[in-house]
Amino acid sequence: MDQHHLNRLFTAEEINSIVKKLADQISRDYVGKELILVCILKGAFVFLSDLVRHLKIPVKIDFVRLASYGSGTKTTGRIEITKDLELPIEGKDVLIIEDIIDSGHTLKFLKDRIILSNPRSVKICALLDKKARRELEMEADYLGFDVEDVFIVGYGIDMNENYRNLPEIYYVTPTHHSKK
Ligand code: IMP
Ligand code: MG
């Protein structure tokens, strides 16, 4: 059986400090605006919940869930909404909250779709960015950390639905049964 090992990448303290920094920036930039955070389920739920508690401005919160169809872990660009927005966003300032930008297909799809509802603005806040994996032009307006092309788990982010509850961020490496 294949085993894998979790290697810590960011501690809870490092995460807390970057999340607070992002919240401070957002709080400054959206003063006097009608901010709606759109959290992409499931991976961004922990990030969102920490981020909102550091915000110093009024905010509304909504969730979307996206399904991407393709082989394995690769996002192919065929994406569907399986849980749509519930709040009206026309004329509002929308900030999409995402866990990781990888190929960029998920965010491109969601951003284009949100724009069809005529919000006043649409921006992106991502905790992690794997720039080496990008297939489309897509940048976060607010970014926590750049990461290498590794598989990440923890802090809401999963591998086959596991590890979302871990308070720190890890990357996964394979381990093989060693000869004793
Ligand atoms: P994209 O459409 O290729 O940018 O894919 C982004 C989505 O893929 C993220 O929202 C994550 O849900 C998922 N994803 C990308 N990289 C990882 C990873 O390292 N661990 C877990 N999920 C990931
Ligand atoms: Mg995701």
Side-chain angles (χ1 to χ4, degrees):
M1 195 180 99
D2 278 347
Q3 303 281 336
H4 54 265
H5 183 73
L6 302 190
N7 311 270
R8 193 170 66 196
L9 198 51
F10 301 111
T11 65
E13 290 73 21
E14 288 170 318
I15 298 166
N16 184 58
S17 116
I18 202 81
V19 170
K20 188 176 179 313
K21 213 163 124 187
L22 291 172
D24 288 345
Q25 283 174 26
I26 293 165
S27 297
R28 278 197 300 274
D29 293 353
Y30 287 89
V31 168
K33 306 271 174 67
E34 292 190 84
L35 178 59
I36 297 185
L37 301 183
V38 173
C39 173
I40 306 182
L41 294 171
K42 300 177 189 173
F45 83 105
V46 176
F47 178 37
L48 173 88
S49 65
D50 280 347
L51 187 77
V52 294
R53 285 178 286 177
H54 286 299
L55 290 177
K56 298 178 181 74
I57 53 167
V59 65
K60 290 179 178 156
I61 296 165
D62 209 346
F63 297 89
V64 293
R65 177 130 172 79
L66 303 168
S68 58
Y69 298 98
S71 50
T73 56
K74 188 125 170 55
T75 308
T76 58
R78 279 175 297 154
I79 299 165
E80 270 182 29
I81 295 225
T82 59
K83 186 237 168 283
D84 209 344
L85 285 173
E86 295 173 14
L87 297 177
I89 57 167
E90 186 173 350
K92 311 291 191 211
D93 293 287
V94 173
L95 182 60
I96 300 171
I97 309 298
E98 173 64 310
D99 54 358
I100 305 178
I101 313 181
D102 190 35
S103 70
H105 286 285
T106 302
L107 278 171
K108 171 89 169 70
F109 173 87
L110 183 63
K111 194 174 179 185
D112 287 353
R113 198 169 185 286
I114 282 175
I115 286 169
L116 295 177
S117 302
N118 295 312
R120 189 172 167 279
S121 66
V122 190
K123 289 193 172 178
I124 292 165
C125 173
L127 180 62
L128 304 174
D129 188 350
K130 291 191 201 174
K131 290 200 170 73
R133 303 252 310 163
R134 201 75 91 251
E135 293 173 10
L136 299 171
E137 220 176 282
M138 183 54 62
E139 292 304 317
D141 300 281
Y142 302 90
L143 175 66
F145 301 109
D146 279 301
V147 292
E148 303 293 309
D149 183 5
V150 288
F151 198 83
I152 304 287
V153 296
Y155 199 70
I157 301 161
D158 76 306
M159 186 170 74
N160 300 325
E161 295 300 328
N162 295 308
Y163 307 125
R164 292 193 196 273
N165 60 305
L166 300 179
E168 310 197 299
I169 294 176
Y170 299 83
Y171 68 95
V172 181
T173 48
T175 58
H176 304 286
H177 286 294
S178 54
K179 292 167 243 156
K180 290 215 192 99

